[in-house]
Amino acid sequence: MTPKDTLKIGSRIFNSRLMIGTGKYQSAQIMVDSLESSKSEIITVAIRRIKNMDKDSNLLQHINWSKYWMLPNTAGCKNSEEAIRIALLGRELAKLSGQEDNNFIKLEVIPDVKYLLPDPLETLKAAEILVKKDF
């Protein structure tokens, strides 16, 4: 691969530019198979959707986090305060998954549940605070 074919974010270099999500799969096995087939190295994880139940329903336990880079997502947040709290939780989950230096976040602030229109001012407010917190 040439540098032109790679994706560089901060100090991290990825061989694939494809980012794939973990939501809406019919089963954990289908999700794992899809991730493997995609050749993606970055996986988005909606922090609010992680179930904290037994191992069969917790997606974090189904993914080999030494193989994939976690991109925590603030999906479902309606204001900047909520997005900041979820982003901080996402960073801790990445650390618990063995990614100590993961400060990535997919920032979404969407109060409009009908049309899913983002709130640019609340998103900017959250981004400014998260950057100060080394995201």
Side-chain angles (χ1 to χ4, degrees):
M1 287 238 164
T2 65
K4 197 175 189 182
D5 295 332
T6 61
L7 172 64
K8 183 176 182 186
I9 303 174
S11 63
R12 300 274 316 175
I13 297 175
F14 302 95
N15 293 314
S16 173
R17 293 171 181 266
L18 179 64
M19 298 177 196
I20 192 166
T22 55
K24 308 208 183 203
Y25 289 97
Q26 291 177 336
S27 71
Q29 189 58 54
I30 292 172
M31 176 191 65
V32 170
D33 292 345
S34 177
L35 297 174
E36 182 68 30
S37 296
S38 75
K39 305 292 187 223
S40 177
E41 296 172 274
I42 303 173
I43 301 175
T44 64
V45 176
I47 301 305
R48 301 181 115 224
R49 294 189 185 129
I50 293 176
K51 293 180 182 173
N52 194 14
M53 298 168 76
D54 60 56
K55 69 178 181 173
D56 291 332
S57 62
N58 186 336
L59 74 89
L60 290 176
Q61 295 177 350
H62 292 285
I63 298 171
N64 177 356
W65 291 109
S66 64
K67 184 175 181 178
Y68 300 103
W69 192 252
M70 184 188 297
L71 178 57
N73 179 351
T74 63
C77 293
K78 293 179 173 40
N79 58 53
S80 60
E81 292 82 16
E82 204 175 359
I84 292 163
R85 186 177 73 250
I86 295 300
L88 292 168
L89 285 171
R91 180 161 58 186
E92 291 306 311
L93 279 173
K95 287 180 181 178
L96 289 172
S97 298
Q99 299 178 5
E100 290 293 324
D101 59 339
N102 188 336
N103 289 316
F104 285 29
I105 191 70
K106 179 181 174 197
L107 183 59
E108 296 181 28
V109 180
I110 303 176
D112 182 344
V113 294
K114 183 174 182 183
Y115 297 107
L116 299 176
L117 297 171
D119 183 328
L121 297 178
E122 286 292 299
T123 302
L124 176 62
K125 183 177 172 183
E128 289 173 337
I129 292 168
L130 291 170
V131 165
K132 289 178 184 172
K133 294 182 179 288
D134 295 325
F135 277 83

